[in-house]
Amino acid sequence: MVTHAEPVPVRERAYEFLKSSILSGRFNPGERLTEEHLAKELGISRTPIREALHKLESEGLIKPLATRGFIASQDSKDEIEESFEIRAVLEGYALRVICGRITDTVCETLEETVAKAEEALRRACLDEVFQWNTRFHDTLHELITDKRRLYHQMVTMRQYVLRYRKNTLQYPDAGARTVDGHRKILLALRLRDPDLCERVMREHIQQSKADALQSLFQDSKEVI
């Protein structure tokens, strides 16, 4: 018997499109978003757009204007820091779970990914470094897709920080620290030590946070 997947409701498609557009930087911070324009762009009615915009407002991704419409939010330093802190907790716990599931085959895949990131770093191909580092985390996350609540929350927080993280990795020193962090994570996984896994992952995300804040607020005296 052939089964057919349920079609995704229009309001959900609108919400996912708008959220992805904001997190990917397609909509710049401060850019005005209106129901009329977005409905025309997506070829749908204004009602699902309105519902999606209000949902995004509740998540803090957009802010209402005094007149009509919304603007894409610009996160403050505190909000960016908070996102990294949440991600550190989620990713740390996730790696503890992954530690009990990891196989030698997956470790070899991770080893190859880190090696390719190192090679790209030597060639100063920083976009490639970002791609391989993203692949590293993707490989880990694929091991816990059955933990649906954890997986969903982790992926969401990762989306929040990656829009800042990509710019950070344009600096060779930050890219090198990231690759080194992945080496430590891989070692902890090979040792099958859950406490070490959680600690090194949290330290890795904390270093990412420091690099991101330094990059984004380098002219601010608040960041050292």
Side-chain angles (χ1 to χ4, degrees):
M1 182 176 64
V2 177
T3 58
H4 299 281
E6 290 293 327
V8 179
V10 175
R11 64 178 181 277
E12 288 299 322
R13 287 193 282 115
Y15 166 75
E16 291 298 338
F17 170 80
L18 293 175
K19 183 175 182 178
S20 175
S21 295
I22 293 169
L23 293 177
S24 68
R26 181 174 180 270
F27 294 144
N28 296 317
E31 184 172 344
R32 189 165 182 259
L33 309 174
T34 64
E35 293 177 17
E36 297 90 340
H37 175 76
L38 293 171
K40 183 177 181 179
E41 181 178 352
L42 272 66
I44 59 178
S45 69
R46 289 170 55 180
T47 299
I49 294 293
R50 184 181 307 119
E51 293 175 355
L53 288 172
H54 284 298
K55 187 174 181 180
L56 292 168
E57 179 190 3
S58 71
E59 295 176 4
L61 288 175
I62 61 175
K63 295 178 181 178
L65 292 169
T67 53
R68 296 175 60 191
F70 296 83
I71 57 170
S73 299
Q74 171 65 63
D75 285 349
S76 67
K77 176 178 175 289
D78 286 343
E79 288 169 331
I80 294 171
E81 190 167 5
E82 179 184 65
S83 294
F84 275 98
E85 292 289 345
I86 294 172
R87 187 187 178 197
V89 174
L90 291 171
E91 294 270 4
Y93 173 68
L95 200 68
R96 172 179 285 274
V97 174
I98 289 167
C99 182
R101 302 180 171 196
I102 199 75
T103 65
D104 290 339
T105 299
V106 176
C107 282
E108 289 306 313
T109 298
L110 292 170
E111 176 67 41
E112 292 173 5
T113 302
V114 174
K116 288 177 178 177
E118 288 174 330
E119 198 275 330
L121 191 61
R122 283 193 293 271
R123 293 186 286 109
C125 296
L126 300 182
D127 283 340
E128 286 187 34
V129 175
F130 176 78
Q131 291 169 8
W132 288 116
N133 287 343
T134 299
R135 179 78 62 84
F136 182 90
H137 285 278
D138 286 343
T139 301
L140 292 174
H141 292 172
E142 287 169 4
L143 299 178
I144 54 170
T145 53
D146 61 309
K147 297 275 189 182
R148 293 192 298 174
R149 184 176 299 176
L150 171 62
Y151 178 77
H152 175 73
Q153 292 176 338
M154 189 170 60
V155 169
T156 296
M157 291 314 303
R158 186 181 175 198
Q159 290 176 329
Y160 272 71
V161 304
L162 277 185
R163 53 180 170 163
Y164 306 112
R165 188 69 178 133
K166 186 171 184 179
N167 290 335
T168 302
L169 291 176
Q170 296 305 306
Y171 299 95
D173 288 349
R177 283 191 289 270
T178 296
V179 173
D180 181 63
H182 288 178
R183 276 271 171 226
K184 292 177 181 177
I185 290 168
L186 181 54
L187 176 60
L189 288 169
R190 288 190 185 278
L191 293 173
R192 306 300 199 272
D193 186 331
D195 290 335
L196 181 60
C197 281
E198 182 164 3
R199 186 171 77 250
V200 297
M201 179 58 86
R202 287 197 181 207
E203 290 173 352
H204 176 61
I205 303 300
Q206 290 291 342
Q207 182 60 65
S208 298
K209 179 189 76 174
D211 286 337
L213 292 175
Q214 181 66 45
S215 172
L216 292 165
F217 301 96
Q218 54 188 328
D219 295 327
S220 172
K221 294 180 181 180
E222 297 181 59
V223 181
I224 299 177

